[in-house]
Amino acid sequence: MLFKLVWKNLIRRPLQSGLTFFIVAACIAALVGSVLTLWSIENGAQGVLDQWGADVLVLPVQAEYTPEDILFTGIPANIYMDVQVLNKVRQISGVEAATPQFFTQTLNQSCCSLPKEYRFVGYDPQSDFLVNNLLAQGVGRDLNPGEVIVGGDIPAFLGDRVAILGHPFDVAGYLKTMGGSIDKTIFAPIDTARSVAAQSPYLQENWKNAGDPQHLISSVLIRTNPEVSPEEVVQQISRIPGVKTVTAGKVMQDLKEQLAAFRSVIWTLILIICAITVASLCTRYSSLVLEKREEVGLLRILGAERRQIFIVVLTEALFSVLVASVAGSFLGLGLLFYFKKMLEAYSSFPFLLPSWPQVILAILGIVLATIALSFLAALWPARRSAHMDPILALAEGQMR
């Protein structure tokens, strides 16, 4: 009987009920979208920090891409320097390990069975300390000839076979999603990547400018001696012509500063959204008391107790909030995936979605907090309705 009365009250005032629904749904959507976006960026940053494993990154000086582009995004980066740079780096005091990588790319052409362009990276199985660790986690063995390993954000291939630049490969495994450039990268041994790139008719213009791919590398990952600071190694590497360097500490410090600013903006917006929502609900529920005077007076004359009036008004408020919270949660998830695509397209922020259990817990927490705020906002109007004089309330309601 109670819920039937509540439902009739809601549909009898569609404009007022719709306004409450909109306020709460918009609040939930904004909170879910912003909180989960911030959480995803922080997850991605931590994932990149955990997966990189290098202290210094060396790139060609003419590279138009920032270190953040290389580390956090999967955009194709056809940048090259002479392989002799690797030998010079290895001779520097304080360098414990140095491994090269060779960048090329897939194409959205008939030569490739991928829906868009991805980075195709060759690594040195003998000296590598990054991809070999990923192989141990994702495959549990070294790659066989004609095999590749694929990042977690790249769609699975039918039959685990993929064509790259006109060459067929078997997919040895798929890496788990980590939040950085690795998620959008295909890995193969460096000799394989060079050979495939050199034979591709689509990439010949690159080799006219850069030279023979067999003598080129795109980056050098360096692990420094624990007793030597990466900054000291960078100073020595800076004397090698044609290269630029960045330390892991510098990249992560820059990322932390950006995250701190982003976090401040998000939490400020969250507080503003909550304040506006509470103020709007208080105003809405207070006006509800005036709208329901005739109804309350009639129910009291018919024998309804104050406690029952209090429960009806409170239930009506919370029921509309609950329904709006469900709708707002789905809208918030839509915002989250929209923000993900936008950040991937227009920024170099790493992005790693929380697991679905974590997402559900976060949404439940936001919904429960919103219901609690709505409950507090509805308490006084519900109490006021319950304590109205029935004759006076009926008379005032009929005079509206």
Side-chain angles (χ1 to χ4, degrees):
M1 183 66 182
L2 173 64
F3 288 103
K4 185 177 180 180
L5 179 60
V6 167
W7 176 250
K8 285 186 176 181
N9 284 339
L10 290 173
I11 62 176
R12 189 160 51 88
R13 293 186 294 273
L15 181 61
Q16 295 87 339
S17 300
L19 181 60
T20 304
F21 182 92
F22 174 78
I23 291 170
V24 175
C27 169
I28 292 287
L31 290 175
V32 169
S34 56
V35 168
L36 290 180
T37 297
L38 178 61
W39 193 357
S40 298
I41 292 174
E42 291 178 337
N43 270 357
Q46 188 60 50
V48 171
L49 184 63
D50 293 341
Q51 78 191 15
W52 193 16
D55 300 306
V56 180
L57 174 67
V58 181
L59 297 170
V61 71
Q62 75 275 13
E64 299 177 355
Y65 303 96
T66 66
E68 289 80 6
D69 290 331
I70 301 299
L71 294 172
F72 302 153
T73 75
I75 58 174
N78 296 312
I79 52 177
Y80 304 102
M81 54 190 172
D82 194 279
V83 72
Q84 291 303 317
V85 170
L86 176 64
N87 298 327
K88 294 176 182 178
V89 166
R90 284 175 171 166
Q91 295 171 10
I92 290 175
S93 173
V95 173
E96 185 176 87
T99 186
Q101 289 189 340
F102 177 87
F103 299 166
T104 183
Q105 67 176 89
T106 68
L107 297 168
N108 189 17
Q109 302 283 349
S110 59
C111 64
C112 303
S113 55
L114 294 112
K116 64 178 184 178
E117 297 177 349
Y118 289 98
R119 193 182 299 172
F120 184 36
V121 172
Y123 70 99
D124 180 15
Q126 303 304 317
S127 63
D128 179 82
F129 50 81
L130 169 63
V131 182
N132 282 336
N133 288 337
L134 297 176
L135 280 172
Q137 298 171 24
V139 181
R141 58 174 175 80
D142 294 335
L143 292 182
N144 296 322
E147 287 186 332
V148 295
I149 188 166
V150 176
D153 276 355
I154 298 177
F157 304 104
L158 183 64
D160 288 334
R161 293 275 291 176
V162 58
I164 300 175
L165 299 175
H167 292 257
F169 289 93
D170 292 317
V171 177
Y174 297 88
L175 300 173
K176 68 176 184 179
T177 304
M178 301 177 183
S181 63
I182 288 176
D183 296 339
K184 305 171 188 68
T185 300
I186 301 173
F187 292 97
I190 194 167
D191 291 337
T192 300
R194 283 170 170 163
S195 175
V196 168
Q199 297 174 40
S200 172
Y202 299 97
L203 302 178
Q204 292 309 305
E205 194 65 30
N206 291 342
W207 317 133
K208 289 179 182 178
N209 300 324
D212 184 355
Q214 299 300 328
H215 304 296
L216 298 175
I217 57 175
S218 300
S219 69
V220 179
L221 300 177
I222 299 172
R223 181 179 289 166
T224 60
N225 190 307
E227 299 177 357
V228 179
S229 73
E231 287 73 19
E232 293 178 32
V233 173
V234 165
Q235 286 182 353
Q236 298 181 66
I237 295 174
S238 64
R239 302 190 186 104
I240 301 175
V243 303
K244 61 181 180 181
T245 58
V246 63
T247 64
K250 177 67 167 59
V251 171
M252 294 310 161
Q253 182 60 37
D254 290 347
L255 180 60
K256 286 178 182 178
E257 290 176 359
Q258 294 178 59
L259 277 176
F262 188 76
R263 190 183 297 113
S264 298
V265 171
I266 290 294
W267 283 112
T268 301
L269 290 174
I270 288 173
L271 290 175
I272 292 172
I273 290 168
C274 290
I276 291 174
T277 302
V278 170
S280 299
L281 288 176
C282 286
T283 303
R284 174 73 195 97
Y285 294 149
S286 295
S287 65
L288 185 65
V289 173
L290 301 177
E291 295 168 6
K292 293 175 68 67
R293 283 178 298 186
E294 182 179 1
E295 176 190 331
V296 169
L298 183 59
L299 288 173
R300 289 296 310 280
I301 290 173
L302 291 175
E305 299 178 359
R306 288 179 175 177
R307 180 179 60 84
Q308 293 174 314
I309 299 298
F310 179 82
I311 292 174
V312 167
V313 175
L314 203 58
T315 303
E316 182 178 331
L318 295 181
F319 181 77
S320 60
V321 168
L322 182 60
V323 174
S325 296
V326 174
S329 298
F330 284 104
L331 287 173
L333 288 175
L335 281 176
L336 173 65
F337 289 107
Y338 171 74
F339 291 153
K340 179 178 185 291
K341 288 184 177 295
M342 188 171 63
L343 288 171
E344 288 176 348
Y346 299 110
S347 81
S348 56
F349 271 119
F351 198 97
L352 179 61
L353 290 171
S355 65
W356 279 111
Q358 291 174 322
V359 169
I360 292 171
L361 284 176
I363 291 175
L364 285 176
I366 292 170
V367 169
L368 289 176
T370 304
I371 291 176
L373 290 175
S374 302
F375 176 80
L376 294 176
L379 269 179
W380 181 80
R383 185 177 183 280
R384 184 181 171 190
S385 295
H387 286 78
M388 281 183 176
D389 179 87
I391 303 299
L392 185 60
L394 183 61
E396 289 178 349
Q398 289 177 342
M399 290 174 60
R400 280 192 303 118

